[in-house]
Amino acid sequence: MNDFIFHNPDKVYFGKDIMKNLPTELLSIGKKVLLVYGGGSIRKNGLYDEIISLAKSADIELCELSGVEPNPRHTTVNKGAAICKEKGIDVILAAGGGSTIDCAKGIAAAALTDDGDVWKLVSNGVWVTEALPIVAILTNAATGSEMDAWAVISNMDTNEKIGLGGSALIPKAAFENPEYSFSLPAYQTACGAFDIFNHVLDNYYFAGDATFDMLLEMQEAVMRTVVKWAPIAMSEPENYEARANLMWASSMALNTVLDGGTVHDCACHMMEHELSAYYDITHGHGLAILTPRWLSYILNEETAPAIYRFGKVVFGVSDGYSPIDGAKAAIEAVSKFCFETLGLKPTLSDLSIDSKNFKAMADHACRGGGINGIGKLNSCDVEKIYEMCL
């Protein structure tokens, strides 16, 4: 087992009657708050009005940045950082899904730089140790950004989508009321659910010998939770138990509790970030298209037992197969979950993506080296996986 340090200071309020605690959390940091949100869903579900009312009752001064994109742009982040500098903002309040929270993290980091340019931090791989405090209100179970140290920022001018990390980017508090996700369309629910699923599969699960049995079973439990509850949430949008299970799975999947020193290079995420950077597609959908093809590509005598185990414990694939045949059955189960249960379109061609940028995307995904994991990938491997997805 690899050495590791676990420390997650995020305080989570989970459930229906939690927002009454928001003013106390904000005021413990400061009175000037930048509210960051996306395309207006928080206005439709009543969350915006609730935030405004709570802020007024506590004499909290709110500024706003709306219009955060599904793949948040560095230009939007810089706009928020400029507001923070101009208004003397004390704390960033993100209300939305992972993209909104990621944008808030970028703002929090850039606001404390001299020029307020987040892309310099992103492109130089700066580990952020100083940032404005962040409080998150989660409305979409997906990325886990509400409880982790990472954000992903896009530069559409250069076709780059890159992670920004730092201990200072972990939110001080997160508010998770599953009711806020009732209004999500089935497509967003499906994409978010697979993002959760892939966080575990891609980040931790295939870690070779460097794992605890306890953590392995916890990882499997999170994936089983998604498989069980995602279709229920899609067919019954206001099913509280379904939404609650997905929301907590989102937080558990990426807050390092499942880590235990097992993180590797996250092949599917590295490959999908290129798809989003070039084509601005929905992240979870891109992951769903890539994952079964990636598993098929890396399948061999060495990887088959782990893939077969995954199929048995997560999808109920039968005992009695050879390792290779069992692994193939597991991969087929993943495909059925993505493209039948979740109803996501199965190919990049369905999203109007062709092969013209694959080489450049593959080169960038590998960052001049390779992607480490259960099967190490070079740029030629990545390009072949993209081609399998057409």
Side-chain angles (χ1 to χ4, degrees), residues 36-243:
V36 179
Y37 58 101
S41 62
I42 68 167
R43 291 180 180 271
K44 296 176 184 176
N45 66 16
L47 177 57
Y48 177 84
D49 290 338
E50 188 173 8
I51 293 170
I52 296 300
S53 176
L54 288 167
K56 287 182 178 178
S57 67
D59 196 27
I60 292 171
E61 181 181 336
L62 277 183
C63 298
E64 297 183 24
L65 176 69
S66 62
V68 175
E69 306 86 356
N71 292 302
R73 314 293 199 258
H74 78 291
T75 50
T76 304
V77 172
N78 290 349
K79 187 185 301 183
I83 294 173
C84 292
K85 288 176 172 292
E86 178 186 351
K87 302 293 185 179
I89 295 296
D90 299 313
V91 56
I92 315 294
L93 176 61
S99 295
T100 296
I101 301 171
D102 281 5
C103 183
K105 290 179 177 182
I107 292 169
L112 295 190
T113 64
D114 291 337
D115 60 6
D117 183 6
V118 73
W119 199 248
K120 290 182 180 178
L121 300 174
V122 173
S123 60
N124 289 317
V126 174
W127 182 254
V128 180
T129 57
E130 293 185 4
L132 290 176
I134 304 150
V135 173
I137 305 172
L138 183 63
T139 64
N140 183 11
T143 72
S145 190
E146 67 278 2
M147 208 176 174
D148 72 21
W150 293 93
V152 182
I153 308 299
S154 295
N155 185 331
M156 305 311 287
D157 298 329
T158 58
N159 297 125
E160 292 179 281
K161 180 177 178 179
I162 304 176
L164 175 69
S167 55
L169 301 184
I170 301 173
K172 301 298 182 185
F175 290 78
E176 303 187 27
N177 181 348
E179 294 173 318
Y180 296 147
S181 61
F182 283 178
S183 61
L184 285 174
Y187 176 73
Q188 282 185 268
T189 301
C191 291
F194 195 77
D195 195 8
I196 300 167
F197 184 96
N198 188 263
H199 280 156
V200 180
L201 188 70
D202 205 22
N203 285 23
Y204 313 128
Y205 188 73
F206 295 125
D209 295 330
T211 189
F212 288 137
D213 286 347
M214 179 190 74
L215 289 182
L216 191 64
E217 295 189 11
M218 290 171 66
Q219 292 160 16
E220 292 162 353
V222 172
M223 289 188 284
R224 284 198 302 270
T225 295
V226 175
V227 171
K228 175 181 178 179
W229 290 105
I232 297 173
M234 291 172 66
S235 62
E236 304 172 26
E238 297 188 10
N239 186 310
Y240 185 86
E241 292 302 314
R243 295 294 189 182

Side-chain angles (χ1 to χ4, degrees), residues 284-299:
H285 195 165
L287 289 173
I289 292 172
L290 284 163
T291 299
R293 279 75 179 211
W294 165 67
L295 289 170
S296 294
Y297 189 83
I298 64 171
L299 175 60

Side-chain angles (χ1 to χ4, degrees), residues 16 19-20 25 72 85 98 115 129 151 217 229 261 268 274 328 354-355 362:
K16 299 178 181 180
M19 287 295 286
K20 63 186 179 184
E25 288 295 335
K85 288 176 172 292
D115 60 6
T129 57
E217 295 189 11
W229 290 105
C268 291
E274 300 304 314
K328 288 179 180 178
D354 59 27
S355 62

Side-chain angles (χ1 to χ4, degrees), residues 301-319:
E301 294 290 344
E302 184 178 349
T303 62
I307 298 174
Y308 186 16
R309 174 193 164 113
F310 154 72
K312 287 191 288 186
V313 297
V314 175
F315 289 103
V317 172
S318 299
D319 285 317

